[in-house]
Amino acid sequence: MLAADAVLTPTPGAAAPAPKRGRRLSLPVLLLVVAGGLVALAAVRAVTGANDLTSNGAIRAALQSAVPIGLAGLGGLWAERAGVVNIGLEGQMILGTWFGAWAGYHAGPWVGVIAAVAGGALGGLLHALATVTFGVDHIVSGVAITILATGAGRYLSQLAFKGLPGGGVTQSPSVPELPRWSVPGLGALDGLERRHWFLVSDLVGILRGALTQVSALTVIAVVLVPVSFWVLWRTPFGLRLRSCGENPHAAESLGVNVYRYKYYAVIASGALAGLGGGFLSMVASSIYREGQTGGRGFIGLAAMIFGNWRPGGLASGALLFGYTDALQLRGGSTSVHALLLFLAVMLVVVGVWQFVRRRTVSGVVAVAAGVLVAVWYAVTDTIPSEFVQAAPHITTLVVLALASQRLRMPAADGQRYRRGS
């Protein structure tokens, strides 16, 4: 391992390779983009009268919906950066929901958090055993773990929850809640939010939704995003782990124990997914219910792909899905219909930016799509309920389609590895 550290860790004084031109936005430009998006959203809210677009309730609901998706995506990131595709995130979330509720009911919410992490890690260990040790196809193993977790949840509920007050074969009794925290002083700004002043009330609503009545587990999930970035991109451990996903044979030649690092990554992946499942059963609903993950493990994978296998990008994808989901749950057809106007504005802006970069075809397509969406908004007053319910999933598909041309997955992602071969 010392040889690997010597090669994979930058040496002081050594000539650094010429940096490649990346496509990632700089921090000032990123902040400018975020500010522009907030102004556009505030303008759409003022024009349409759909005040729920920036209300504190919608923002709080969006954050609550985004956290389990983001944790699942973060789990997928850890596994795939080591070269293992973890389709079993959904099953690992199911294990997290069950073990979190079971331990939370019997021993308190913090013990439930630990149990949720352990349950997801157990699913990750099974996936690592199948894919890393026995060389099972990653997709087959992930699907099998999800099926196994679904059946295990029903069987364990029969043993542990049936006969308890409020419990049964498909659900647990009520679980004690984790503490919630608020930034002092923001609650007093309720009157300012209700005035619906342009941008001012919108900013107040967003701040109140993001910084009041925040669950402790939400804070942990947010902290895990920069922590994952630091571990994977700023430490020798992360460099060795990522080398296993890019070129495991080269990493092996430098003394890296590829099997061990793949195990580390997949177990950590399951633990993060289990924490996301624990959030669903202990924060979002305070009860375990069969099927409550609702495909969030797969949506987390989509958020990870949208984020180009980077923590910040996947967090943005999770927030996008969470926000759309919150609007369709709270505001229904009115808010989603107003969101069409925001989408039209954003598409036109993207089209103009593509023209500036001399990408004429992409610019024409984006502007044309923006005009069509604007016409759709102008000629309708409501949106069919079926479309409203599917809006989060349609958003995920559209975003993935738009982002597909700039993606670069780890070079050895999903490939079977055998030492010495």
Side-chain angles (χ1 to χ4, degrees):
M1 188 60 68
L2 292 176
D5 289 343
V7 177
L8 293 177
T9 305
T11 304
K20 296 180 181 180
R21 293 186 61 185
R23 295 184 178 181
R24 293 193 297 275
L25 298 177
S26 63
L27 182 59
V29 174
L30 181 60
L31 293 176
L32 186 62
V33 170
V34 172
L38 289 177
V39 171
L41 190 62
V44 169
R45 193 270 309 163
V47 169
T48 62
N51 295 320
D52 213 34
L53 287 178
T54 56
S55 69
N56 72 86
I59 301 303
R60 188 176 297 116
L63 192 59
Q64 183 166 285
S65 180
V67 166
I69 295 170
L71 286 170
L74 207 57
L77 172 74
W78 274 77
E80 298 208 13
R81 278 295 173 178
V84 179
V85 176
N86 191 359
I87 295 294
L89 288 170
E90 179 77 7
Q92 291 148 17
M93 287 188 78
I94 292 172
L95 293 174
T97 60
W98 193 92
F99 280 102
W102 173 74
Y105 174 76
H106 289 288
W110 287 111
V111 177
V113 170
I114 297 172
V117 171
L122 176 62
L125 177 62
L126 290 175
H127 189 51
L129 185 66
T131 57
V132 179
T133 301
F134 295 108
V136 176
D137 182 89
H138 299 188
I139 307 299
V140 173
S141 174
V143 172
I145 286 173
T146 300
I147 295 172
L148 177 64
T150 303
R154 170 65 72 97
Y155 176 73
L156 292 173
S157 296
Q158 173 80 20
L159 297 177
F161 296 147
K162 191 174 182 181
L164 295 177
V169 178
T170 60
Q171 69 178 43
S172 72
S174 180
V175 180
E177 290 190 5
L178 287 161
R180 292 181 179 268
W181 301 320
S182 299
V183 174
L186 289 179
L189 299 179
D190 179 64
L192 186 58
E193 181 185 350
R194 292 180 182 275
R195 292 181 182 272
H196 303 307
W197 289 342
F198 174 71
L199 196 58
V200 176
S201 296
D202 300 291
L203 288 174
V204 170
I206 292 171
L207 288 175
R208 291 185 67 221
L211 300 176
T212 59
Q213 293 298 308
V214 180
S215 169
L217 201 52
T218 300
V219 177
I220 293 173
V222 172
V223 170
L224 282 172
V225 175
V227 166
S228 293
F229 173 79
W230 179 79
V231 171
L232 292 175
W233 274 271
R234 293 292 184 267
T235 66
F237 170 85
L239 183 59
R240 290 191 289 270
L241 187 147
R242 287 186 293 116
S243 72
C244 297
E246 295 292 343
N247 193 331
H249 298 290
E252 177 190 9
S253 70
L254 297 175
V256 176
N257 189 327
V258 176
Y259 287 145
R260 181 188 302 171
Y261 277 88
K262 284 181 179 288
Y263 263 88
Y264 289 157
V266 180
I267 291 173
S269 172
L272 289 165
L275 185 62
F279 183 93
L280 289 172
S281 61
M282 298 169 56
V283 177
S285 62
S286 297
I287 191 173
Y288 161 80
R289 286 192 180 91
E290 188 176 74
Q292 71 185 138
T293 55
R296 287 175 174 84
F298 301 112
I299 298 169
L301 276 178
M304 178 202 66
I305 296 170
F306 163 73
N308 208 9
W309 287 266
R310 309 245 338 159
L314 76 85
S316 302
L319 285 171
L320 176 64
F321 183 92
Y323 180 67
T324 313
D325 192 33
L327 286 185
Q328 68 94 7
L329 289 174
R330 287 178 52 85
S333 176
T334 302
S335 295
V336 176
H337 183 257
L339 203 60
L340 288 177
L341 182 59
F342 177 73
L343 177 60
V345 172
M346 290 296 100
L347 285 172
V348 171
V349 170
V350 169
V352 172
W353 175 244
Q354 295 294 341
F355 282 126
V356 171
R357 300 181 68 183
R358 298 181 179 179
R359 296 181 176 178
T360 307
V361 175
S362 299
V364 170
V365 171
V367 171
V371 170
L372 289 175
V373 174
V375 170
W376 184 9
Y377 170 80
V379 300
T380 59
D381 295 325
T382 59
I383 291 179
S385 59
E386 295 81 7
F387 182 86
V388 172
Q389 294 172 2
H393 304 279
I394 294 173
T395 301
T396 303
L397 293 174
V398 170
V399 166
L400 285 176
L402 293 176
S404 61
Q405 295 184 1
R406 65 177 179 85
L407 301 179
R408 195 199 77 82
M409 64 191 296
D413 193 17
Q415 295 179 10
R416 181 182 179 186
Y417 166 77
R418 279 293 170 264
R419 180 177 293 160
S421 61

